[in-house]
């Protein structure tokens, strides 16, 4: 599923959605669909997008997903009790509260 919705950022461009079926999860599928894409790509951490961000490719800028980053940091905190991981989680929570107020 590919989505575009710039309304939260003040754009009046209509949102759009595209569903493309593929029989497997090979990275070739998103790489083919997005071969001419340029801009910011907000994805879920799926490794099939990695080649789109690599050197020598069209200018695609990765916009990482906070939920996936947070989950990895949370896993580290749960396993180790790391003070740094706890601080990162607290900072993310505070940032989320600020973003919610702004929204």
């Amino acid at each position: 599923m590919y989505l575009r919705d710039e309304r939260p950022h003040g754009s009046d461009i209509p949102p759009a959605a595209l569903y493309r079926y593929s029989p497997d999860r090979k990275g070739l599928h998103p790489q083919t669909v997005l071969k001419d894409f340029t801009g910011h790509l907000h994805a879920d951490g799926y490794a099939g997008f990695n080649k789109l961000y690599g050197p020598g490719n069209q200018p695609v800028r990765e916009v990482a997903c906070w939920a996936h980053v947070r989950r990895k940091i949370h896993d580290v905190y749960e396993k180790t009790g790391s003070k740094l991981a706890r601080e990162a989680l607290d900072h993310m929570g505070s940032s989320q509260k600020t973003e919610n107020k702004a929204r």
Side-chain angles (χ1 to χ4, degrees), residues 8-102:
H9 308 288
S11 176
D12 58 0
I13 297 172
L18 167 68
Y19 175 78
R20 281 282 175 102
Y21 171 79
S22 59
D24 53 46
R25 288 186 42 84
K26 292 180 181 172
L28 174 66
H29 304 297
Q31 292 160 22
T32 300
V33 171
L34 298 171
K35 68 179 172 49
D36 297 321
F37 173 76
T38 61
H40 293 81
L41 181 61
H42 182 207
D44 66 356
Y46 166 55
F49 293 114
N50 288 351
K51 286 190 178 179
L52 293 168
Y53 310 132
N57 293 327
Q58 70 278 8
V60 175
R61 183 162 190 141
E62 179 180 14
V63 180
C65 177
W66 267 113
H68 288 83
V69 171
R70 186 188 181 287
R71 185 179 316 135
K72 300 247 185 226
I73 293 172
H74 184 268
D75 290 347
V76 168
Y77 178 70
E78 287 290 310
K79 289 178 184 173
T80 68
S82 163
K83 182 179 175 185
L84 183 59
R86 179 73 256 169
E87 289 175 19
L89 292 170
D90 291 345
H91 179 72
M92 287 179 189
S94 176
S95 295
Q96 183 66 49
K97 287 177 185 174
T98 302
E99 185 176 322
N100 289 342
K101 286 179 185 177

